[in-house]
Amino acid sequence: MELLTIDQIISILEEETKGLDPEIREGIVLNQTELPVSELDRLKKQLQIQDLDPIFRKYILAYNWGQVGFLSYQFGYGDGASLTWLMNRNLEYHDYSTLQERGLIIIANGDPYTILLDCQSGAVYALDAEMTYDEKIWLAPDFLVFIRAMGTAQFAVWKGCESDFIHLMTGIGHATSLIFWQSLVGVYD
């Protein structure tokens, strides 16, 4: 097993959700959506961000993240045409000032982890309610790798090859990130 590309993820999601109610399907299928660059300017202004990783910038504008979730993690809801969902999720977070001080933003919600992006480096982390910010779990070097891993995890669950996914992530991730990936697909070797 290898990490799927975004095009492969889109194709698999479309195939696996064919025939589902359009409303349900809309929250699963990743679509290309060209958001205007002005949305990034608005995001940076609202969240008072100086630097924003170029990989994240590219992919946050290119797809409908405000409508998509993978397994138990939701990137947004009901907003495929702007980044308002991302702004609101961060501004409404009880400890947003600490995120801001550390150069982090929330990019997805799930159970039990919240997914964070380091705005400058682009690294993606997981944090649960019991952890301090210093204990956050490194998941991926950038948003694209993270999304590819999440889409691959979704595929693995649908195809019943969760153990293969964990083996893949053992080879490409940090040992500390394995707890997140195991939790995501429900396999604890």
Side-chain angles (χ1 to χ4, degrees), residues 4-72:
L4 299 171
T5 66
I6 286 191
D7 288 341
Q8 289 171 321
I9 292 167
I10 290 170
S11 178
I12 289 166
L13 291 173
E14 287 174 351
E15 182 65 31
E16 291 292 325
T17 61
K18 209 178 277 183
L20 287 180
D21 181 289
E23 195 171 303
I24 294 170
R25 195 170 188 272
E26 183 179 49
I28 299 172
V29 176
L30 183 62
N31 294 306
Q32 285 193 291
T33 305
E34 291 294 323
L35 293 179
V37 175
S38 62
E39 278 298 299
L40 274 182
D41 296 336
R42 193 167 73 94
L43 175 75
K44 288 171 70 174
K45 183 179 179 183
Q46 288 288 317
L47 301 183
Q48 300 175 356
I49 298 170
Q50 300 303 315
D51 297 313
L52 194 54
D53 175 67
I55 293 171
F56 180 73
R57 285 193 323 251
K58 176 181 178 180
Y59 288 98
I60 200 70
L61 291 178
Y63 297 91
N64 66 323
W65 302 111
Q67 287 288 92
V68 170
F70 291 106
L71 297 169
S72 62

Side-chain angles (χ1 to χ4, degrees), residues 93-95 110-114 126-137 179:
Y93 184 61
H94 73 280
D95 200 16
D111 184 23
Y113 299 99
T114 298
L127 181 76
D128 74 16
E130 305 299 317
M131 299 171 134
T132 67
Y133 289 100
D134 292 331
E135 296 171 318
K136 65 189 178 297
I137 302 167
I179 191 167

Side-chain angles (χ1 to χ4, degrees), residues 19 28 56 64-65 87 93 96 102 129 138 143 162 180 182:
I28 299 172
F56 180 73
N64 66 323
W65 302 111
M87 288 176 242
Y93 184 61
Y96 177 66
R102 292 177 174 263
W138 182 95
F143 186 66
E162 296 92 335
F180 172 83
Q182 289 173 324

